[in-house]
Amino acid sequence: MFKSIRTFIGAKNFETSTKFYNDLGFIETVLSDTLSYFKIDENLGFYLQKAFVKDWVDNSMLFLEVEDLETYFTEIENKNLTKKYANVKLSNIVYNDWGKEFFLHDPSGILWHFGNFKEL
């Protein structure tokens, strides 16, 4: 019955964020001058808007579950996004009771959680 769920996120600088998400490995589909769809898998994606509302962007978080967190972390680290883009921050992997994750702030400050859950 259901096929996907997609969120909308804003960008302080649309062009910079567009480049960032392309460098991160997402595939962009330009929908208009102010909206792009970025996907990482057939049914996993989000809309990036040329819109910035500070309170909204400062409180936006996304969680992307990955199969092999350590390998994906190394891939992200090797892209040197923290050097290429101002305000981009990458944490180390954190181990929790429920699983493990690392964090990545995009150029606008949106917080991404990349993680995987413990097998039950």
Side-chain angles (χ1 to χ4, degrees):
M1 175 188 241
F2 303 109
K3 293 176 71 175
S4 72
I5 188 168
R6 302 173 183 180
T7 191
F8 288 78
I9 62 172
K12 193 177 283 188
N13 181 304
F14 187 71
E15 292 74 24
T16 298
S17 290
T18 296
K19 290 176 187 171
F20 171 81
Y21 284 111
N22 279 297
D23 285 349
L24 189 55
F26 284 84
I27 298 166
E28 179 183 11
T29 301
V30 176
L31 302 173
S32 74
D33 291 343
T34 60
L35 185 68
S36 285
Y37 177 66
F38 285 88
K39 69 179 182 177
I40 197 82
D41 192 317
E42 192 58 37
N43 295 313
L44 300 175
F46 63 92
Y47 296 99
L48 179 69
Q49 300 178 90
K50 187 175 187 176
F52 181 72
V53 177
K54 185 172 177 20
D55 287 345
W56 169 46
V57 169
D58 285 350
N59 289 289
S60 291
M61 292 187 282
L62 294 96
F63 185 96
L64 181 59
E65 184 179 5
V66 297
E67 289 181 17
D68 184 344
L69 189 69
E70 287 80 4
T71 298
Y72 192 63
F73 175 80
T74 300
E75 286 178 25
I76 299 298
E77 197 173 39
N78 289 338
K79 292 176 187 281
N80 292 315
L81 298 171
T82 57
K83 292 183 175 130
K84 188 171 182 180
Y85 297 95
N87 303 320
V88 170
K89 300 174 199 160
L90 177 65
S91 77
N92 289 318
I93 295 174
V94 176
Y95 297 88
N96 303 298
D97 292 341
W98 55 265
K100 52 194 172 184
E101 66 183 331
F102 67 88
F103 309 100
L104 179 69
H105 287 87
D106 85 351
S108 299
I110 291 177
L111 177 59
W112 282 81
H113 297 243
F114 296 92
N116 62 11
F117 299 98
K118 285 185 178 177
E119 298 287 327
L120 297 179

